[in-house]
Amino acid sequence: MKLTSASTIWWSVFDITSKETRLSELEKESLSTSFWDDPNVAQAIMQEISRIRETITLWKGIEKEATDLRDLIDLSIIENDESLDESISKDIIELERKLKQLEFQLALSLI
């Protein structure tokens, strides 16, 4: 199904696992007793932590939406329930809109 392969592509491009690892490293560093000895470095690290958290949350949210939508499509097919078609179509269009917007932002290096 298209959503599955698209989700896999997006997920691998952004390598969330590496971002989570980096976030963990930075959070551990921020707990050091000497962390604030250099306020400029500490502030830069805190900003990076914030950016990474936002990115992880954003892409995990997109992945969850795609997975939920795929599950709903599968259920609709299994149950032969066409009553969900309109809702599913709207959800697909909305997810595509979000992905296009994020793709544009990535092209501009805003994320």
Side-chain angles (χ1 to χ4, degrees):
M1 183 167 259
K2 186 177 181 181
L3 285 176
T4 303
S5 61
S7 176
T8 302
I9 291 168
W10 282 107
W11 196 255
S12 63
V13 167
F14 301 108
D15 194 8
I16 297 302
T17 302
S18 291
K19 291 187 184 312
E20 289 172 327
T21 300
R22 177 70 176 149
L23 178 61
S24 179
E25 292 168 357
L26 291 173
E27 287 174 333
K28 285 178 188 172
E29 186 177 341
S30 73
L31 297 175
S32 167
T33 55
S34 61
F35 180 71
W36 289 101
D37 289 351
D38 186 339
N40 292 329
V41 171
Q43 185 177 28
I45 290 171
M46 295 306 290
Q47 289 172 347
E48 185 177 356
I49 287 171
S50 178
R51 280 191 307 273
I52 292 172
R53 277 189 187 140
E54 286 178 29
T55 300
I56 291 170
T57 300
L58 175 68
W59 289 106
K60 281 193 170 190
I62 291 291
E63 183 195 30
K64 181 171 179 359
E65 285 182 49
T67 300
D68 290 350
L69 186 53
R70 185 192 63 219
D71 291 346
L72 186 58
I73 291 168
D74 290 344
L75 180 62
S76 175
I77 292 169
I78 290 169
E79 297 291 325
N80 198 23
D81 184 357
E82 295 178 7
S83 68
L84 297 172
D85 288 356
E86 187 176 335
S87 174
I88 290 171
S89 292
K90 287 179 183 178
D91 290 346
I92 289 171
I93 290 168
E94 177 61 18
L95 184 58
E96 286 177 341
R97 183 196 64 76
K98 286 179 183 179
L99 287 172
K100 285 179 184 178
Q101 181 182 20
L102 290 170
E103 183 178 37
F104 178 73
Q105 288 175 343
L106 281 169
L108 297 176
S109 298
L110 297 177
I111 293 182

